[in-house]
Amino acid sequence: MKISIFWFRRDLRLIDNTALHYALESGRPVKALFIFDENIIEGLAENDARLNFIYEQLQIIHEKLTQYGTALEVMKGKPENCWKQLIQDYEIDRVYINRDYEPYAIQRDKNVEEQLSNHGIELKTFKDQVIFEAREILKEDGEPYVVYTPYRKKWESTFISTEHTPLKNTQFNHFYPFKKSFPTRNTLNIKNNKIKVPDYDLSNIKNYTQTRDYPSIETSRLGPHLRFGTVSIRQLIKKIGKKEETFKSELIWREFFMQILFHYPKTAERNFKSKYDGVEWRNDEADFNKWCEGKTGYPIVDAGMRQLNETGFMHNRLRMITAGFLCKHLLIHWSWGEAYFAQKLLDYELASNVGNWQWAAGTGVDAAPYFRIFNPITQTDKFDKDKTFIKKWLPEYGSEDYPEPMVDHKVARERCLKVYKKGIGM
């Protein structure tokens, strides 16, 4: 029989999943698929916590699918090879996917679409992981926004006038009937990791505006769930409603950076503002290693890095402080820090990570000016005055074992200003 295939990627859920919904409404039996893409995972450790999280979410989906007389097909390999095998094994009418907007994903899907087309198979794509795609929020002249505030205003006015209701009544009885065991971790060469992705918790967002800058106060931990699509952005927006505007603005920042990366893919590796290309970074490896290990001698920086290394999470305020310290106190190129966060963050997302690192370095869109240099000491006084967070992550704080500051703030600030001014020809 002819079948349709729904391909899970950044949408690991059965409820309010746009492409899956329309696949099941299409009239063809639907086979559910996930591919562990070797182009993505070959650079990851076998025990990468994100691979474990994906594995666990897929296992949950598989168990739910068995209730409908079907199973999840899990493959591992290069996507083109996996699709070659699927095309041989099944008579496929259509393939359904939710769109992804990162440079690699766009090229991968273009290649797969061509491969499928050569065999008379249609690829149907849908918007799912965002409220608005890159070409939906544009300036009056059709150009993309590069400043956040006018983007947010256009986003909000467009949101009011359009429909974003979560999808209901998915026809789960339309899955392709077959049985298959879920693969073991050993089969997929995924090793367990002690770092786990916690469930998200929205109970504290009612106080988000007042508490969001204090690292000792628990956050929603929503990031990985948005990253891998275990929660629908439409359901999330509906749940937070109109009361939590500050929290919603963080979700809009996410889409702002996504559209920046889509329109300006070069920013994944190069400065958005080319005038900063002349900055002469020190890029000292010993200094970088101290920063990575949380041994800079600045407690708020070190506590943030220790939290990242041990949990795969870092508080948003600390992401700004630690990134600013690396770029401006140590004069190490933002791409070094971006790559380290890419290895460690459970919620790593290329667009947001690059966007925020370039913001910290002053090289990106709507960025902090080069002369804005966070003072780690005053940041501590403002947001961790009692050292609650610092003491939690730095057990040696206050003892002889804790290092002296690797650089004096005032000296580092003056050096940074001098190097930046020279780099941009001031």
Side-chain angles (χ1 to χ4, degrees):
M1 67 175 73
K2 280 196 171 184
I3 66 168
S4 293
I5 293 182
F6 168 69
W7 182 10
F8 282 104
R9 291 103 68 81
R10 292 183 54 167
D11 44 22
L12 303 184
R13 64 186 186 280
L14 294 176
I15 303 300
D16 190 27
N17 185 318
T18 309
L20 176 59
H21 172 84
Y22 286 105
L24 292 169
E25 293 282 336
S26 69
R28 296 283 188 194
V30 176
K31 182 178 179 65
L33 167 74
F34 183 86
I35 298 172
F36 279 98
D37 185 344
E38 289 183 346
N39 293 325
I40 295 175
I41 66 177
E42 62 187 4
L44 303 178
E46 293 175 355
N47 70 335
D48 190 287
R50 293 161 295 190
L51 287 180
N52 275 276
F53 178 65
I54 292 170
Y55 179 87
E56 290 162 3
Q57 294 305 309
L58 294 177
Q59 197 167 29
I60 292 170
I61 290 171
H62 174 82
E63 290 171 359
K64 289 180 179 178
L65 289 176
T66 60
Q67 300 172 20
Y68 304 107
T70 189
L72 178 64
E73 182 76 58
V74 178
M75 305 178 77
K76 182 180 179 183
K78 307 287 186 183
E80 61 270 24
N81 294 335
C82 293
W83 281 106
K84 181 179 179 181
Q85 186 64 51
L86 289 163
I87 291 167
Q88 289 177 356
D89 292 346
Y90 298 95
E91 191 173 353
I92 305 169
D93 179 41
R94 292 174 180 170
V95 173
Y96 289 76
I97 62 171
N98 290 310
R99 289 189 282 273
D100 198 343
Y101 311 105
E102 294 185 356
Y104 165 73
I106 291 171
Q107 187 60 52
R108 174 200 61 203
D109 292 348
K110 182 179 178 181
N111 294 342
V112 168
E113 182 175 27
E114 183 177 345
Q115 183 180 9
L116 295 173
S117 178
N118 290 337
H119 291 84
I121 302 168
E122 182 181 6
L123 180 67
K124 302 279 285 184
T125 71
F126 298 85
K127 177 177 70 173
D128 183 73
Q129 63 170 296
V130 293
I131 296 297
F132 295 116
E133 294 178 306
R135 294 193 177 98
E136 292 185 292
I137 304 296
L138 297 169
K139 294 188 290 185
E140 293 302 317
D141 62 3
E143 292 296 310
Y145 285 96
V146 296
V147 177
Y148 173 71
T149 299
Y151 173 86
R152 175 180 57 78
K153 290 178 179 178
K154 182 69 172 290
W155 191 102
E156 290 175 335
S157 64
T158 308
F159 181 84
I160 291 170
S161 63
T162 50
E163 180 64 39
H164 305 283
T165 305
L167 295 163
K168 296 180 180 179
N169 303 322
T170 302
Q171 302 296 320
F172 291 126
N173 59 323
H174 290 178
F175 279 110
Y176 173 69
F178 84 111
K179 293 182 180 181
K180 189 171 185 178
S181 298
F182 192 74
T184 65
R185 277 187 169 85
N186 286 338
T187 301
L188 297 169
N189 200 28
I190 296 174
K191 304 291 191 295
N192 229 321
N193 193 309
K194 65 178 182 179
I195 295 177
K196 301 297 180 185
V197 175
D199 292 336
Y200 66 91
D201 181 2
L202 301 180
S203 61
N204 288 333
I205 66 169
K206 60 182 179 294
N207 301 314
Y208 183 75
T209 302
Q210 294 76 31
T211 64
R212 63 177 179 152
D213 285 318
Y214 297 91
S216 61
I217 298 176
E218 191 62 52
T219 64
S220 69
R221 300 299 177 99
L222 184 62
H225 297 276
L226 271 176
R227 170 65 179 87
F228 296 107
T230 63
V231 60
S232 154
I233 186 66
R234 294 171 296 279
Q235 289 180 320
L236 183 61
I237 291 286
K238 182 179 180 181
K239 187 168 186 175
I240 65 176
K242 299 180 180 179
K243 298 178 182 178
E244 314 304 336
E245 292 300 317
T246 305
F247 188 82
K248 187 171 75 174
S249 72
E250 297 298 325
L251 301 178
I252 300 174
W253 267 108
R254 172 177 172 265
E255 296 194 6
F256 174 69
F257 281 137
M258 280 186 171
Q259 62 98 28
I260 291 296
L261 182 63
F262 178 86
H263 289 292
Y264 305 99
K266 72 162 192 174
T267 58
E269 298 176 350
R270 303 199 300 275
N271 297 331
F272 177 81
K273 296 177 180 175
S274 58
K275 72 176 185 178
Y276 288 96
D277 291 350
V279 174
E280 294 184 10
W281 304 94
R282 292 176 61 249
N283 289 343
D284 185 287
E285 290 190 16
D287 284 358
F288 179 67
N289 290 333
K290 287 181 181 179
W291 177 84
C292 292
E293 295 168 3
K295 296 179 179 178
T296 68
Y298 282 92
I300 196 69
V301 174
D302 294 340
M305 296 305 295
R306 304 278 185 94
Q307 181 189 38
L308 173 65
N309 291 335
E310 293 185 34
T311 70
F313 171 80
M314 187 190 286
H315 187 276
N316 283 345
R317 167 60 55 173
L318 300 184
R319 297 188 195 201
M320 289 190 288
I321 295 172
T322 56
F325 187 87
L326 183 74
C327 296
K328 294 182 175 177
H329 283 73
L330 302 183
L331 285 174
I332 292 175
H333 195 276
W334 61 264
S335 63
W336 289 39
E338 195 278 331
Y340 190 75
F341 274 24
Q343 293 175 18
K344 297 291 183 178
L345 282 173
L346 294 174
D347 63 358
Y348 173 73
E349 199 165 46
L350 179 62
S352 294
N353 203 45
V354 165
N356 281 307
W357 270 97
Q358 290 220 42
W359 180 92
T363 63
V365 296
D366 202 14
Y370 74 88
F371 50 81
R372 184 181 185 187
I373 302 170
F374 284 119
N375 183 330
I377 298 171
T378 57
Q379 289 289 306
T380 301
D381 292 341
K382 287 181 180 179
F383 304 117
D384 194 33
K385 187 174 182 180
D386 297 329
K387 312 295 191 297
T388 302
F389 182 82
I390 286 171
K391 291 175 182 176
K392 177 179 179 180
W393 292 102
L394 302 179
E396 75 275 29
Y397 174 71
S399 73
E400 293 182 356
D401 294 330
Y402 188 69
E404 292 294 318
M406 61 189 295
V407 63
D408 177 80
H409 168 68
K410 184 178 179 180
V411 173
R413 184 179 186 279
E414 292 173 353
R415 179 178 66 181
C416 176
L417 292 174
K418 182 179 179 181
V419 168
Y420 266 72
K421 285 179 180 179
K422 181 180 177 181
I424 62 178
M426 289 186 63

